[in-house]
Amino acid sequence: MRILLVEDDHRVAAALTAALRRRGYEVEHAATVAAALSAAPCDLVLLDLTLPDGDGTDLCRDLRRRSSQLGIIAVTARGEERDRVLGLRAGADDYVVKPFSMVELQARIEAVLRRAAQAAPEPNLIEVGPVHIDVSARTVRVHGREVTLTRKEFDVLLSLARQPGAAVARDRILLDAWGTTFADRHTVEVHVGSLRGKLGDPRLVETIRGVGYRLRSG
């Protein structure tokens, strides 16, 4: 899960980047409007509204015009009602006033990402190698054989199948399957272990050390 942090205070940015990376996020830092507009694609933007080369509210509008699915949270010292209204009307999904706790920010990130995931269109049928998933029917077949999964096992598999062949972070799996990243990460390991056994080939779900898991596409 990739976050773009737009913050001109380098001390604040360094502390936030470290805290977010400890929680499993990939973070890119941009200190200016220009750097933010040229940054790589991401899942969510944490946006300070006070920037040295432009107004963060205008940047928010530009980012929203680029993508209706992008999560945007304004993270700023501007706490007046007028500023909050302007930020939200510019396209921000949420608005956090400094100072804030990481627990609060984490909860807001999860809420915005959940809404974005629910709004994004998803194919009804997903095929990854020998694994065939019917999302609406919540059924799974491997090499044509139907596999019975629990609700959480299916959600874990679906989280992996949405990014076939790519490493999916444990926090991303927790968010997709449990709706939070505060759950015990050991829970993911237990469900992945059970999933491997039911799929019939443990090699289909590969452990990516220090990151998470990958559903092999070939």
Side-chain angles (χ1 to χ4, degrees), residues 75-194:
V75 181
T76 177
R78 298 183 188 177
E80 298 296 324
E81 181 182 28
R82 177 179 178 275
D83 294 316
R84 294 197 298 271
V85 170
L86 287 174
L88 293 170
R89 285 180 174 170
D93 297 290
D94 204 347
Y95 197 103
V96 182
V97 178
K98 299 175 182 176
F100 53 84
S101 70
M102 276 306 301
V103 172
E104 178 188 4
L105 182 61
Q106 175 78 30
R108 291 178 182 270
I109 288 172
E110 290 176 359
V112 169
L113 289 174
R114 276 198 304 272
R115 290 197 294 269
Q118 290 166 359
E122 182 171 62
N124 188 51
L125 299 175
I126 301 176
E127 296 184 10
V128 184
V131 180
H132 293 223
I133 303 172
D134 186 321
V135 178
S136 61
R138 293 183 69 85
T139 59
V140 176
R141 291 182 176 273
V142 181
H143 295 296
R145 174 182 61 89
E146 186 166 355
V147 177
T148 302
L149 301 179
T150 67
R151 183 168 62 90
K152 289 303 180 186
E153 288 167 353
F154 182 90
D155 291 340
V156 170
L157 178 62
L158 183 58
S159 180
L160 296 171
R162 285 173 177 148
Q163 302 181 62
V168 182
R170 289 179 177 85
D171 278 354
R172 175 76 259 181
I173 298 171
L174 282 169
L175 189 60
D176 288 343
W178 282 269
T180 180
T181 59
F182 288 107
D184 185 353
R185 291 189 179 189
H186 183 61
T187 300
V188 175
E189 296 175 11
V190 171
H191 282 78
V192 167
S194 177

